[in-house]
Amino acid sequence: MPALALRPIEAADVPALAALLATRRREERVALPLLNERFADVAACEKVLRGHLAEARCDGVVAERGGRLAGFLIGHRKHTSVESFGAQYEPPTQASMPGSGHGVAPGEDVEAVYAAMYAYLGERWVDAGYFEHRITMPLADPALHRAWFNLGFGSLYTFCARESTSLPRPARGLDPTVVVQRATPAERAEVLRFQEESARFHRAGPIFWPYMERQASTAIEQFTTGALSDES
């Protein structure tokens, strides 16, 4: 078998990368049908990939074996202000690999290809001062999880989706003293108080989540006001 060859992504690679990404998404939707079907379309994937590559701090690598595409990996060097809303969830600097920015061709060794591509980009990120690296991936592929776990990655967030239908009533019923209603701008102070308590709770062990309420207070208040006023 020919050895794996690595090189930077070029604009001319996008059609082949988009075809691989669309194939991956179609396979993922078998197990996760609520994933957006739009990204099973090659043209939609091309648009997403060109958007990634147009970013100023985007890095990408293509893996080839015998002149054929074996995989690709894209990451963004990101900066997050400590005064922004995102500071509650993101470090000041990181290299972030989006879910639409990677894939391995069918028949390839998933672990070996991802390990080679990450080594290629990871070394460059560390040399540039980006020491925290994150990747987004679907839950449907155990081999994908195993590949990144073996590279030292753990789980940080899990995003879920469900049909927007009413949930069944619990068998034991709700506490009759509990009232569930949509929050409105009139509850702004109470929502902010709850968010503050939640942030303080999660800063303690065993979570030790960074407490950013002081630095990001203005951004948090603006976000909360907008969310409570959103009628969608």
Side-chain angles (χ1 to χ4, degrees), residues 4-96:
L4 204 63
L6 303 172
R7 62 170 175 79
I9 287 179
E10 301 173 357
D13 296 318
V14 169
L17 305 187
L20 174 56
L21 183 59
T23 297
R24 199 198 82 190
R25 177 49 57 90
R26 286 192 289 270
E27 293 172 351
E28 291 165 358
R29 292 193 74 248
V30 173
L32 302 171
L34 291 182
L35 288 174
N36 193 326
E37 64 181 1
R38 182 166 67 91
F39 296 110
D41 177 69
V42 175
C45 290
E46 277 200 37
K47 184 176 180 180
V48 170
L49 290 169
R50 293 191 191 281
H52 286 314
L53 298 178
E55 294 289 332
R57 290 192 291 265
C58 176
D59 304 293
V61 59
V62 166
E64 295 174 317
R65 192 184 302 279
R68 294 190 175 189
L69 177 65
F72 74 99
L73 181 63
I74 290 172
H76 299 274
R77 287 166 280 126
K78 296 176 63 176
H79 296 193
T80 301
S81 167
V82 296
E83 296 181 347
S84 69
F85 182 83
Q88 301 172 98
Y89 313 105
E90 305 283 346
T93 60
Q94 65 171 298
S96 176

Side-chain angles (χ1 to χ4, degrees), residues 85 88-89 181-189 191-192 195 218-232:
F85 182 83
Q88 301 172 98
Y89 313 105
Q181 64 184 36
R182 180 171 181 167
T184 69
E187 280 87 39
R188 177 177 175 276
V191 172
L192 287 170
Q195 181 158 321
T218 299
I220 292 170
E221 290 180 11
Q222 290 174 346
F223 175 87
T224 301
T225 299
L228 293 175
S229 302
D230 187 353
E231 296 294 331
S232 61

Side-chain angles (χ1 to χ4, degrees), residues 140-161:
D141 188 347
L144 182 58
H145 297 175
R146 186 167 55 251
W148 287 96
F149 179 82
N150 289 339
L151 289 170
F153 284 69
S155 178
L156 182 61
Y157 304 120
T158 300
F159 297 96
C160 302

Side-chain angles (χ1 to χ4, degrees), residues 201-209:
F201 173 81
H202 287 96
R203 74 185 292 192
I207 300 174
F208 303 112
W209 197 262

